[in-house]
Amino acid sequence: MEHSQSISKKYTDDNHGFRQQNKLLLSADGWQNAISDTYFDLKVQVKRPNQFTGHLQQADLAQMGISSYVADSVHYQRSGQDLSKANDSILLTFPLNGSVCFQQQKRQLTCHPGQFFIELSHQPYQFYHSETVKLQVLKVPVAQLENHQRLLERYFAQSITTEKGSGRLLNHQISHALHLATNFELSSIESQLLEQQLLDLIIHTLHRPTISLADSQISTIKAAHLQRIEDFIHFNLANFQISPKLVSQSCHISERYIHLLFKEMPYSFSEWLKLTRLLAANKLLTKTNYRSVAEVAYQVGFTDQSYFSRIYKQHFGFPPKDTPIKP
């Protein structure tokens, strides 16, 4: 098998705290090292070693890594042995062309263009594609998302849309940031600003799946039922007596069917209701015209202020009274 060849170079600019790796064209021999250097220690299996080619373009911001990836059919495995080398980061993977399959902790998905998913570094997984694909990947230290750990645990190995909302903005911003990072000599401050923009969009996007049920990858009929449920909840959020029974009676859907619908979601009905209320409370608390935290809690259906404050802090990383005010 021939040795891998680089068609460009790596360089380091310590004055700006910024490292860039230009695009590499690699054969199967060099792909293992390129993947390990860019992402994690992974076992790489190539279906046609003599015909394989892969391209990687990678740049580092302040703490995050951004990469563009094009490769022929390949299978990756992260095993227990690989986990012994600590790497407290996550990968956000965005297919641009072609689809990829991913398995982690008994979750399985096929992710298509228009979606992305999260890979956890501290758990074994398998990742593979049987065709040539183009991806963009964001590598984020877990420490940057430590206040949102529960969201990471909830939404890893789940397809999240990039076709609208903050997911779409995040997808475009990654492309823009990679273009800037690989074509301009960025200062440390510029790298930090780009990274903060990406981080804000990640956090906002991770909250998005808790809002819309009908975005899920399910049939049109089921999506229509979920939209009716969602509309009813939003119009009646202050009603602390909302339950599957009340929704069943109001939307003319059986309780059993409601539970079946949520069985296909990454959360139960009660979890989704709680998260929807928390997000509504957060939106109210970012304004200056609310009278008290207790009033906000009551408006979104919480009757116990201490319970509301506790779960709000668990979810957002700060207590209700410290919610940043938006202009």
Side-chain angles (χ1 to χ4, degrees):
M1 193 184 309
E2 61 183 5
H3 293 291
S4 61
Q5 294 182 341
S6 166
I7 63 170
S8 54
K9 63 181 181 178
K10 299 180 184 179
Y11 66 85
T12 302
D13 183 352
D14 291 330
N15 292 329
H16 296 287
F18 172 74
R19 183 172 65 83
Q20 172 182 313
Q21 175 179 300
N22 285 331
K23 187 172 289 186
L24 302 175
L25 173 61
L26 298 168
S27 67
D29 272 350
W31 195 244
Q32 173 77 66
N33 290 336
I35 290 296
S36 296
D37 289 345
T38 305
Y39 306 120
F40 307 134
D41 287 314
L42 298 168
K43 181 181 179 182
V44 179
Q45 294 178 300
V46 175
K47 188 174 182 179
R48 295 181 291 272
N50 293 329
Q51 302 174 30
F52 175 86
T53 56
H55 306 255
L56 271 178
Q57 188 175 36
Q58 190 266 346
D60 288 338
L61 298 177
Q63 297 181 61
M64 292 183 190
I66 314 173
S67 57
S68 175
Y69 163 118
V70 181
D72 296 334
S73 175
V74 64
H75 184 284
Y76 305 102
Q77 185 170 357
R78 186 160 172 80
S79 65
Q81 184 177 359
D82 299 320
L83 300 178
S84 62
K85 301 176 182 179
N87 193 323
D88 293 329
S89 298
I90 63 167
L91 298 182
L92 281 70
T93 299
F94 298 72
L96 302 181
N97 289 309
S99 301
V100 298
C101 299
F102 183 74
Q103 301 175 14
Q104 188 168 49
Q105 283 192 345
K106 298 182 179 180
R107 295 186 184 180
Q108 300 183 30
L109 66 87
T110 300
C111 193
H112 309 284
Q115 303 172 329
F116 78 95
F117 66 96
I118 297 171
E119 308 168 44
L120 303 179
S121 68
H122 64 282
Q123 297 288 345
Y125 67 73
Q126 293 188 64
F127 177 115
Y128 54 95
H129 49 88
S130 57
E131 58 185 347
T132 301
V133 301
K134 181 177 181 180
L135 315 171
Q136 59 183 18
V137 182
L138 197 58
K139 184 176 181 180
V140 185
V142 170
Q144 291 189 295
L145 295 165
E146 60 183 352
N147 290 332
H148 305 274
Q149 186 65 35
R150 294 183 65 171
L151 286 176
L152 295 181
E153 293 171 355
R154 182 178 297 279
Y155 293 116
F156 80 91
Q158 302 281 354
S159 294
I160 301 173
T161 184
T162 60
E163 293 185 339
K164 60 182 178 179
S166 54
R168 177 166 57 187
L169 294 176
L170 174 59
N171 195 22
H172 287 296
Q173 186 65 4
I174 292 172
S175 300
H176 180 61
L178 182 60
H179 171 76
L180 291 175
T182 53
N183 288 278
F184 298 92
E185 191 173 288
L186 299 180
S187 69
S188 177
I189 291 177
E190 288 171 328
S191 294
Q192 290 173 20
L193 286 172
L194 269 179
E195 182 169 289
Q196 188 58 53
Q197 289 174 350
L198 290 169
L199 186 61
D200 290 344
L201 284 171
I202 291 169
I203 292 169
H204 196 280
T205 303
L206 290 182
H207 288 286
R208 176 63 182 141
T210 66
I211 300 174
S212 181
L213 298 174
D215 285 345
S216 304
Q217 301 298 307
I218 57 176
S219 71
T220 303
I221 294 174
K222 290 180 179 178
H225 286 311
L226 286 169
Q227 189 64 61
R228 287 168 62 196
I229 294 170
E230 184 175 6
D231 291 342
F232 174 79
I233 294 296
H234 282 293
F235 278 112
N236 296 275
L237 206 56
N239 185 350
F240 64 90
Q241 294 183 323
I242 289 177
S243 65
K245 183 177 181 179
L246 179 61
V247 172
S248 170
Q249 294 170 346
S250 302
C251 297
H252 308 290
I253 304 170
S254 73
E255 281 189 68
R256 181 176 177 275
Y257 188 62
I258 290 173
H259 290 298
L260 284 174
L261 286 173
F262 276 88
K263 221 172 181 182
E264 300 181 26
M265 303 293 106
Y267 30 71
S268 66
F269 174 86
S270 61
E271 289 172 331
W272 176 77
L273 177 59
K274 181 174 70 174
L275 289 167
T276 300
R277 283 178 160 151
L278 286 173
L279 289 172
N282 176 258
K283 188 174 181 180
L284 292 171
L285 290 165
T286 60
K287 301 175 182 178
T288 57
N289 59 351
Y290 71 88
R291 286 186 293 181
S292 67
V293 169
E295 177 195 41
V296 169
Y298 190 78
Q299 280 185 301
V300 298
F302 290 103
T303 57
D304 185 332
Q305 184 186 339
S306 62
Y307 169 72
F308 165 69
S309 296
R310 177 166 55 83
I311 64 171
Y312 186 95
K313 184 176 180 180
Q314 287 176 348
H315 187 75
F316 292 104
F318 45 79
K321 62 182 178 61
D322 292 338
T323 300
I325 302 297
K326 292 184 179 178

